Amino acid sequence: MVDYHAANQSYQYGPSSGGNGAGGGGSMGDYMAQEDDWDRDLLLDPAWEKQQRKTFTAWCNSHLRKAGTQIENIDEDFRDGLKLMLLLEVISGERLPKPERGKMRVHKINNVNKALDFIASKGVKLVSIGAEEIVDGNAKMTLGMIWTIILRFAIQDISVEETSAKEGLLLWCQRKTAPYKNVNVQNFHISWKDGLAFNALIHRHRPELIEYDKLRKDDPVTNLNNAFEVAEKYLDIPKMLDAEDIVNTARPDEKAIMTYVSSFYHAFSGAQKAETAANRICKVLAVNQENEHLMEDYERLASDLLEWIRRTIPWLEDRVPQKTIQEMQQKLEDFRDYRRVHKPPKVQEKCQLEINFNTLQTKLRLSNRPAFMPSEGRMVSDINNCWQHLEQAEKGYEEWLLNEIRRLERLDHLAEKFRQKASIHEAWTDGKEAMLKHRDYETATLSDIKALIRKHEAFESDLAAHQDRVEQIAAIAQELNELDYYDSHNVNTRCQKICDQWDALGSLTHSRREALEKTEKQLETIDQLHLEYAKRAAPFNNWMESAMEDLQDMFIVHTIEEIEGLISAHDQFKSTLPDADREREAILAIHKEAQRIAESNHIKLSGSNPYTTVTPQIINSKWEKVQQLVPKRDHALLEEQTKQQSNEHLRRQFASQANIVGPWIQTKMEEIGRISIEMNGTLEDQLSHLKQYECSIVDYKPNLDLLEQQHQLIQEALIFDNKHTNYTMEHIRVGWEQLLTTIARTINEVENQILTRDAKGISQEQMQEFRASFNHFDKKQTGSMDSDDFRALLISTGYSLGDAEFNRIMSVVDPNHSGLVTFQAFIDFMSRETTDTDTADQVIASFKVLAGDKNFITAEELRRELPPDQAEYCIARMAPYQGPDAVPGALDYKSFSTALYGESDL
């Protein structure tokens, strides 16, 4: 016989281990088929047997208590078959055959067989389990039978994602516990030992019952007891396992774990099924409620829209015409308001109504509901028919409105045309009678008379042109009378008035023309005199205005030649004054003659000369002004002449001094440049010569001060140019500063060369040789050379240079990377290359001698061996000595010496 404790191969859903329940290809009779017979001699593992007894007993009691009973000993209490049959009735919900109540063995066997037959009728194939073993109290067979019942009634129906029974239950556990840390369900034994999986199942479905985050993986007993107690107290799942048994067993019994876990599945799946059922009902009701709401909305919108259409159509079919265009335009405006304001929302409502209807029918079809049938007269087609009738009425109403407005517009246009032409004619004739009766020609000048005649001729032409307008006005009035215009009376009255006025204008026009021609002849003689006066007065007046402007004109001159030119021009002007005075007398005589003729003929002149605004009073006033300005101009020109003579003296004085100082500075600059390049004699002789040269330059400073004083006088006189010299004060100052800077820099270079020579032990001959070589390659004679010339110089002195070596030398002589090498830098380099110099190692060796061959030196030794100031200098800068042989007050002379020469000398 096969051990019913074996893992998952003991009972199959089909003839092979690969089946998936009843759907796996086998019959229900093969569900519990076992691969081998039971081994009756094989004993249960004691730990597993204990776990199975407790678990199976608790599972059986969880069902038996529904019938008001329970078992205490699973081996003994099922022997008579009564409670076994009762258990099957409770878990299956079916009635079994009536049990036998006898106490004999045969009665017990019969009862057990009835129970086994019922199990077999459920598609469970029992192998090697007989009624005798159960009646005899065989523990292994009893436990095997209970496990078979558990498999069939508690585990077989579990199905999760196309997996069932054990695999389905395992997958369900894995899915539910996946989000929890430290939980990894892979089986029904060791995966449950720490108790976290049980707690995770409860927390997943009832999070308020478990504080999962407070559980510890290293406390399995507490975890297991917590899960068992919560399940028993709140989930009605009896405690089927002992925490200590599970923890102390290397591999807990799989069947016991599966039995207990299946209780969780059924407890939670029942609640889930109820929730799913409730959700389905709610969903169905929500769909139905939404559909009913859409139906109600449709009925309401359809009723409102149809009522609006019924109210609107009679208004659109009203065709009663109005008398005036304003009233018809108001009707049109009302219609436009209907189109803009009232109709668009209804169009939207109609569209929304159709959308709601289609949406409702779609939802009903998708939810297997019958199609919606609106109440009578509210179908979409009914609404469309009403809407079509509305639009036809709307179109007819709009056409009627436009035709009526066009008809009234034509009549109003004709009346307006009459009013417009009449208004234009009346505006044109306004004041014309008064103008024709006016005797303005009696006081007019000849030019005025001629202008009036030309104006009258133009009026006559205009009058003739308006004849057509008057005829048009009369024709329009006649047409309005024929069309029976409502305001014809006023039109006729106005037309008659226009015709009467037109006849009066013709008579007045003829009379005025005769009066104008008579007056014209009388004024022509006077006009000729006025014209001659104007022709001569205008140029004379312009001459006087120009003369006054010239005499008062401001002048700015900078030279004596310019002021003398102005004086000459003024003298020439004064010579023309007598002729100008004679011309003035002649012009005034013409004016007096015109006045005499007007007085003798009793002509009332209207005012001044029409050809000019220049009166005799103006001529006399300006002539007097010219006479006053001439002596003032004489005085101003003389003052300016004196000023320019003084400025010319200042220019010549400054130029005389600047033409001496400027060339002197330039000469000295050239001499210094020549001295700095040639450098004849010893360096001390050169230095002495340069200092003497510097003293001579400084002694020349009073000449520069004198030039500054003269320049200040020129600035105060506002003199800006000087043709007598090319030197400005700014040029002199810059040259002087460059001269002082150049001599000082040259002296400093010689002093540095002396220091270099003395420090490096360079002879005078070597120094001269260096200078000669440098000057030879200093082709531009600037005192410095570029890198190419410097390379050539080094090669001439015997250096064999590669690029790396030359770059190293350039970094020494040109540390600022200016691209130029001075003579001083060249001397420093050559002295370093040709003479011995102190090094850091030499200084360290010297300090070591003073320190008595120690690696450090003390302050007392420094003060004893060196001058006081140098000893204190060293003490202040030496760091404390840190070597193993250090003593209090020891100083590090090695780091001090190294720092003196920098890293390049290390």
Side-chain angles (χ1 to χ4, degrees):
M1 293 181 291
V2 177
D3 184 358
Y4 68 93
H5 298 286
N8 201 40
Q9 298 297 328
S10 300
Y11 309 103
Q12 304 294 328
Y13 281 133
S16 65
S17 59
N20 288 321
S27 65
M28 288 298 295
D30 297 331
Y31 168 73
M32 296 299 294
Q34 300 173 350
E35 295 179 355
D36 300 298
D37 293 334
W38 289 76
D39 186 357
R40 297 180 181 275
D41 298 328
L42 184 62
L43 297 177
L44 283 172
D45 181 281
W48 286 5
E49 182 178 354
K50 179 180 178 182
Q51 293 175 17
Q52 288 186 16
R53 282 179 179 278
K54 181 173 182 62
T55 301
F56 291 176
T57 300
W59 184 85
C60 292
N61 286 334
S62 68
H63 295 286
L64 289 172
R65 67 185 178 185
K66 299 175 185 177
T69 185
Q70 64 178 12
I71 61 173
E72 298 294 337
N73 189 322
I74 199 169
D75 299 343
E76 298 295 330
D77 292 350
F78 284 137
R79 291 180 65 183
D80 58 4
L82 296 177
K83 290 187 177 181
L84 179 59
M85 294 178 69
L86 182 60
L87 173 65
L88 291 172
E89 287 183 348
V90 171
I91 63 177
S92 67
E94 300 179 15
R95 295 291 296 177
L96 270 68
K98 186 176 181 180
E100 298 179 8
R101 295 296 179 178
K103 300 295 185 179
M104 299 178 62
R105 177 180 174 84
V106 64
H107 296 146
K108 296 178 180 179
I109 291 174
N110 289 337
N111 288 338
V112 173
N113 277 326
K114 290 178 182 180
L116 296 178
D117 290 341
F118 179 80
I119 294 172
S121 70
K122 297 302 180 182
V124 179
K125 183 179 180 180
L126 298 173
V127 180
S128 302
I129 298 178
E132 291 81 2
E133 285 86 349
I134 304 303
V135 173
D136 292 340
N138 187 312
K140 180 177 180 181
M141 292 298 106
T142 302
L143 293 174
M145 177 190 66
I146 298 302
W147 171 241
T148 300
I149 295 172
I150 292 172
L151 277 177
R152 172 59 184 84
F153 293 99
I155 298 177
Q156 174 190 347
D157 294 334
I158 295 175
S159 178
V160 178
E161 295 186 7
E162 299 183 0
T163 61
S164 57
K166 176 182 177 181
E167 291 79 3
L169 182 61
L170 182 61
L171 180 60
W172 178 78
C173 294
Q174 290 172 340
R175 292 292 172 83
K176 295 300 182 180
T177 60
Y180 292 88
K181 62 181 181 179
N182 297 325
V183 177
N184 184 18
V185 178
Q186 298 296 328
N187 49 55
F188 287 107
H189 37 79
I190 60 176
S191 295
W192 303 81
K193 284 190 66 175
D194 57 12
L196 293 178
F198 290 112
N199 284 278
L201 279 178
I202 298 172
H203 184 269
R204 181 64 180 272
H205 295 87
R206 296 286 300 277
E208 74 278 5
L209 301 179
I210 298 290
E211 293 183 291
Y212 186 83
D213 293 336
K214 294 184 178 181
L215 301 177
R216 294 169 35 221
K217 187 174 180 65
D218 58 355
D219 191 6
V221 174
T222 300
N223 297 341
L224 290 165
N225 285 329
N226 182 65
F228 298 161
E229 291 169 1
V230 169
E232 186 173 30
K233 183 176 181 180
Y234 296 102
L235 304 179
D236 199 27
I237 298 175
K239 184 176 180 182
M240 301 182 184
L241 301 170
D242 279 331
E244 290 76 6
D245 293 342
I246 295 175
V247 173
N248 296 329
T249 304
R251 186 173 184 269
D253 181 63
E254 186 178 52
K255 296 178 176 58
I257 299 295
M258 283 180 64
T259 301
Y260 189 49
V261 171
S262 68
S263 299
F264 284 92
Y265 174 84
H266 290 295
F268 293 135
S269 64
Q272 185 172 355
K273 289 178 182 177
E275 181 180 356
T276 302
N279 291 338
R280 177 172 297 175
I281 293 171
C282 291
K283 182 178 180 181
V284 170
L285 293 177
V287 170
N288 201 61
Q289 289 173 337
E290 182 181 3
N291 292 338
E292 289 179 356
H293 179 68
L294 290 175
M295 294 176 188
E296 293 172 359
D297 286 348
Y298 177 85
E299 291 286 345
R300 178 179 53 78
L301 290 175
S303 298
D304 293 345
L305 183 59
L306 289 171
E307 177 62 25
W308 177 80
I309 293 174
R310 282 192 290 270
R311 290 197 314 268
T312 306
I313 288 176
W315 174 69
L316 293 173
E317 292 177 345
D318 181 12
R319 300 290 193 273
V320 178
Q322 303 297 321
K323 292 183 179 181
T324 64
I325 191 171
Q326 290 77 15
E327 293 174 325
M328 290 305 298
Q329 285 177 338
Q330 182 59 47
K331 277 185 169 290
L332 180 60
E333 184 62 29
D334 293 341
F335 178 72
R336 288 173 178 168
D337 187 61
Y338 154 79
R339 278 277 187 86
R340 291 192 303 266
V341 179
H342 301 290
K343 185 180 178 183
K346 299 305 177 182
V347 173
Q348 183 65 30
E349 288 180 13
K350 178 177 176 295
C351 178
Q352 188 63 45
L353 192 68
E354 294 176 356
I355 292 173
N356 290 352
F357 182 80
N358 294 332
T359 301
L360 176 60
Q361 299 292 37
T362 301
K363 289 186 175 181
L364 290 172
R365 185 174 63 255
L366 294 176
S367 59
N368 295 322
R369 304 294 201 283
F372 168 60
M373 287 296 295
S375 57
E376 184 177 358
R378 293 187 176 89
M379 293 290 292
V380 173
S381 58
D382 298 330
I383 294 172
N384 287 334
N385 291 334
C386 291
W387 190 265
Q388 186 176 5
H389 185 194
L390 172 73
E391 291 188 333
Q392 290 173 352
E394 180 181 309
K395 181 179 179 182
Y397 186 66
E398 183 178 20
E399 291 175 354
W400 174 76
L401 281 175
L402 294 176
N403 290 332
E404 279 296 306
I405 289 174
R406 290 191 192 101
R407 185 182 67 82
L408 292 174
E409 275 183 345
R410 175 167 177 75
L411 194 58
D412 279 0
H413 173 71
L414 197 60
E416 179 61 28
K417 186 176 181 181
F418 172 82
R419 287 190 291 269
Q420 184 179 12
K421 287 183 175 294
S423 298
I424 293 173
H425 177 77
E426 289 167 350
W428 179 82
T429 58
D430 185 33
K432 293 296 189 294
E433 288 187 20
M435 181 268 292
L436 292 173
K437 294 177 180 180
H438 189 215
R439 304 177 68 85
D440 51 348
Y441 50 82
E442 294 180 350
T443 57
T445 63
L446 179 61
S447 60
D448 292 337
I449 288 296
K450 291 183 178 295
L452 289 174
I453 291 175
R454 287 193 294 271
K455 182 178 179 181
H456 188 73
E457 291 172 350
F459 173 75
E460 288 176 332
S461 299
D462 197 14
L463 187 68
H466 274 74
Q467 179 68 35
D468 291 340
R469 180 174 294 163
V470 174
E471 293 174 356
Q472 290 175 4
I473 292 171
I476 294 171
Q478 181 64 28
E479 186 175 0
L480 287 172
N481 284 324
E482 293 173 355
L483 294 175
D484 195 21
Y485 181 57
Y486 73 94
D487 199 18
S488 296
H489 174 72
N490 291 330
V491 170
N492 293 332
T493 302
R494 192 173 183 182
C495 182
Q496 186 61 44
K497 182 180 178 181
I498 290 172
C499 293
D500 294 343
Q501 186 186 34
W502 182 254
D503 295 337
L505 287 176
S507 176
L508 291 173
T509 299
H510 179 72
S511 300
R512 182 172 174 80
R513 181 171 186 78
E514 290 179 348
L516 287 173
E517 290 175 348
K518 180 180 178 180
T519 306
E520 178 185 16
K521 294 177 181 179
Q522 297 174 351
L523 292 174
E524 283 181 347
T525 302
I526 296 174
D527 184 70
Q528 290 294 329
L529 291 173
H530 281 168
L531 180 61
E532 184 180 359
Y533 173 87
K535 288 181 178 178
R536 297 181 68 173
F540 185 72
N541 180 66
N542 290 336
W543 177 86
M544 287 191 296
E545 288 179 348
S546 298
M548 288 189 293
E549 183 179 353
D550 292 341
L551 291 171
Q552 297 178 90
D553 186 24
M554 298 294 296
F555 55 84
I556 299 176
V557 296
H558 300 288
T559 63
I560 190 68
E561 291 81 2
E562 291 177 355
I563 189 61
E564 288 175 352
L566 290 178
I567 292 173
S568 176
H570 183 63
D571 292 339
Q572 185 178 0
F573 167 75
K574 289 191 292 184
S575 66
T576 64
L577 291 178
D579 293 338
D581 188 41
R582 286 190 290 273
E583 176 66 12
R584 180 180 66 84
E585 293 293 341
I587 293 171
L588 294 177
I590 294 172
H591 177 72
K592 291 176 181 178
E593 179 65 14
Q595 291 286 351
R596 187 190 63 77
I597 293 173
E599 291 173 1
S600 63
N601 291 283
H602 306 288
I603 296 175
K604 295 184 288 184
L605 297 177
S606 60
S608 60
N609 192 324
Y611 297 109
T612 182
T613 59
V614 180
T615 64
Q617 293 78 12
I618 292 176
I619 291 175
N620 289 329
S621 174
K622 290 183 179 179
W623 178 256
E624 183 179 354
K625 181 69 173 178
V626 170
Q627 296 299 315
Q628 294 172 357
L629 290 175
V630 169
K632 292 182 179 179
R633 185 72 169 184
D634 290 336
H635 179 70
L637 290 173
L638 289 176
E639 284 186 347
E640 184 64 27
Q641 185 180 30
T642 303
K643 176 183 176 183
Q644 290 301 325
Q645 288 174 349
S646 174
N647 290 349
E648 182 66 15
H649 172 70
L650 291 175
R651 287 192 187 94
R652 292 180 181 277
Q653 181 178 331
F654 176 82
S656 175
Q657 183 68 11
N659 290 335
I660 295 173
V661 175
W664 184 87
I665 291 175
Q666 187 173 358
T667 301
K668 294 302 179 183
M669 286 290 292
E670 294 173 355
E671 291 177 358
I672 293 172
R674 191 164 52 253
I675 292 172
S676 64
I677 294 173
E678 295 175 355
M679 290 298 181
N680 297 321
T682 65
L683 294 177
E684 285 77 2
D685 293 340
Q686 295 172 13
L687 180 62
S688 175
H689 180 59
L690 287 170
K691 289 186 176 180
Q692 292 175 1
Y693 208 81
E694 183 182 28
C695 291
S696 68
I697 291 173
V698 174
D699 292 341
Y700 196 76
K701 182 66 164 56
N703 294 293
L704 196 72
D705 295 338
L706 176 61
L707 196 62
E708 286 283 4
Q709 295 173 2
Q710 294 171 351
H711 176 67
Q712 183 176 356
L713 294 175
I714 285 178
Q715 286 185 322
E716 292 173 354
L718 300 178
I719 300 172
F720 302 106
D721 56 358
N722 193 339
K723 66 180 180 179
H724 303 296
T725 181
N726 293 326
Y727 293 99
T728 66
M729 194 64 226
E730 183 64 25
H731 293 156
I732 298 295
R733 291 192 194 103
V734 172
W736 177 257
E737 292 171 357
Q738 291 179 348
L739 179 62
L740 294 177
T741 302
T742 303
I743 187 63
R745 183 171 58 249
T746 305
I747 291 173
N748 180 255
E749 289 178 357
V750 174
E751 290 174 344
N752 288 337
Q753 292 173 23
I754 292 173
L755 290 174
T756 303
R757 182 199 64 189
D758 295 343
K760 305 300 182 178
I762 301 174
S763 65
Q764 180 64 31
E765 291 74 12
Q766 288 178 306
M767 187 65 72
Q768 291 178 349
E769 181 180 352
F770 292 156
R771 166 54 75 178
S773 299
F774 189 87
N775 288 345
H776 176 74
F777 287 94
D778 183 12
K779 297 176 182 179
K780 298 179 182 178
Q781 300 298 305
T782 59
S784 61
M785 62 180 66
D786 58 23
S787 59
D788 293 336
D789 292 339
F790 183 62
R791 181 191 287 269
L793 173 58
L794 293 178
I795 293 173
S796 70
T797 57
Y799 279 88
S800 178
L801 297 174
D803 289 341
E805 177 62 16
F806 179 69
N807 290 335
R808 183 192 68 80
I809 294 174
M810 281 299 295
S811 66
V812 174
V813 299
D814 183 21
N816 297 324
H817 304 290
S818 64
L820 297 176
V821 180
T822 63
F823 178 67
Q824 184 61 43
F826 172 65
I827 291 298
D828 292 340
F829 170 73
M830 294 303 294
S831 63
R832 183 181 302 179
E833 295 292 320
T834 58
T835 60
D836 294 332
T837 58
D838 294 329
T839 64
D841 291 339
Q842 292 173 340
V843 175
I844 290 172
S846 299
F847 272 117
K848 193 168 186 179
V849 171
L850 297 182
D853 208 28
K854 298 191 300 294
N855 291 326
F856 59 85
I857 193 168
T858 64
E860 291 74 16
E861 290 171 338
L862 287 171
R863 292 190 179 99
R864 183 177 66 245
E865 301 293 342
L866 297 178
D869 57 339
Q870 294 181 348
E872 296 302 327
Y873 177 85
C874 294
I875 293 169
R877 287 165 175 75
M878 282 187 182
Y881 177 68
Q882 303 294 338
D885 53 343
V887 299
L891 300 174
D892 188 353
Y893 59 79
K894 291 183 179 180
S895 61
F896 172 75
S897 301
T898 301
L900 287 178
Y901 288 86
E903 293 182 359
S904 62
D905 292 330
L906 293 179

